[in-house]
Amino acid sequence: VDRFVIDPIRKISDAAMRYRAEEGRSIRHSFTSLDIRTGDELEVLSESMKQMERDLNDNMAHILSLTDQLDESRTVAFNMTELARKDALTGVRNKLAYDEELRSLEKSLAEGDKKFGIAVFDLDDLKGINDNYGHSKGDIAIRRMADIICNVYAHSPVFRIGGDEFTAILKGRDYDNAAQ
């Protein structure tokens, strides 16, 4: 009785306790080492537990793989979203980001927050620069203008809202020192 009933049940019970004690989302091997050869229902139960553990491990490995893929997809989506809001030529935020910022400002206004300003800039004679010196020089002028605005308004978001048009949403120190 001890060899064919009690000892196999103890082994299965010990394996179940080890399985339960393992923590986290990891692959487990508590039942793999079971070696019960009784030729009856206990051996069938032991083999079933081993198969269950293999199946669970396969499922866990698949879930962990999908979780990694999901994390990678989220990172890619975040980076793509950031790129969608960035002007490729100047590196400042673009019209899409500006429109989103305006919606946020409208919400702030509705909530009573009115401490911000808007500065608008236009690069004079960009067409003349492009016509006389080429578009590469016009691009340099646009980038230089973006750099100047970003340096002057270092604490505020700057947006390129058109070909040669920029806007800065003045906040914090930039708002407080707007007159300067």
Side-chain angles (χ1 to χ4, degrees):
V1 170
D2 190 45
R3 186 171 145 213
F4 289 103
V5 177
I6 295 173
D7 195 41
I9 290 174
R10 185 179 302 120
K11 287 179 181 178
I12 292 171
S13 177
D14 289 347
M17 294 299 281
R18 283 192 309 274
Y19 188 90
R20 195 175 117 207
E22 292 182 33
E23 295 200 16
R25 302 178 327 173
S26 62
I27 305 300
R28 299 178 183 184
H29 301 285
S30 300
F31 293 98
T32 304
S33 61
L34 280 181
D35 186 25
I36 298 174
R37 304 210 185 273
T38 57
D40 61 9
E41 293 86 359
L42 290 174
E43 185 176 340
V44 171
L45 177 62
S46 169
E47 292 303 313
S48 295
M49 299 299 281
K50 288 179 186 180
Q51 186 59 50
M52 178 194 72
E53 186 175 64
R54 284 191 294 271
D55 292 345
L56 288 171
N57 285 341
D58 289 347
N59 288 334
M60 181 58 73
H62 184 66
I63 288 169
L64 292 173
S65 173
L66 290 174
T67 301
D68 290 344
Q69 291 174 18
L70 181 60
D71 289 343
E72 290 174 22
S73 295
R74 284 182 180 144
T75 300
V76 168
F78 175 79
N79 291 339
M80 289 176 68
T81 300
E82 288 300 307
L83 285 173
R85 291 180 176 92
K86 190 176 199 179
D87 178 62
L89 178 63
T90 63
V92 300
R93 297 174 190 179
N94 63 15
K95 178 76 165 90
L96 172 65
Y98 178 70
D99 292 341
E100 291 171 349
E101 185 72 18
L102 286 181
R103 286 191 291 278
S104 177
L105 287 174
E106 288 172 356
K107 184 178 177 185
S108 295
L109 278 170
E111 295 170 356
D113 182 13
K114 297 179 181 169
K115 193 171 179 176
F116 69 90
I118 298 178
V120 179
F121 309 90
D122 182 83
L123 179 60
D124 287 338
D125 200 30
L126 177 62
K127 182 174 176 5
I129 294 170
N130 285 336
D131 290 347
N132 292 320
Y133 303 103
H135 286 274
S136 63
K137 299 296 183 190
D139 288 350
I140 291 170
I142 290 170
R143 281 194 297 272
R144 182 66 185 124
M145 177 138 176
D147 289 343
I148 292 168
I149 297 167
C150 287
N151 286 331
V152 171
Y153 298 105
H155 305 294
S156 299
V158 174
F159 305 87
R160 181 176 176 204
I161 58 172
D164 63 347
E165 298 165 348
F166 293 85
T167 299
I169 307 293
L170 308 183
K171 298 179 179 180
R173 286 186 230 164
D174 291 338
Y175 175 78
D176 294 338
N177 298 324
Q180 294 175 355

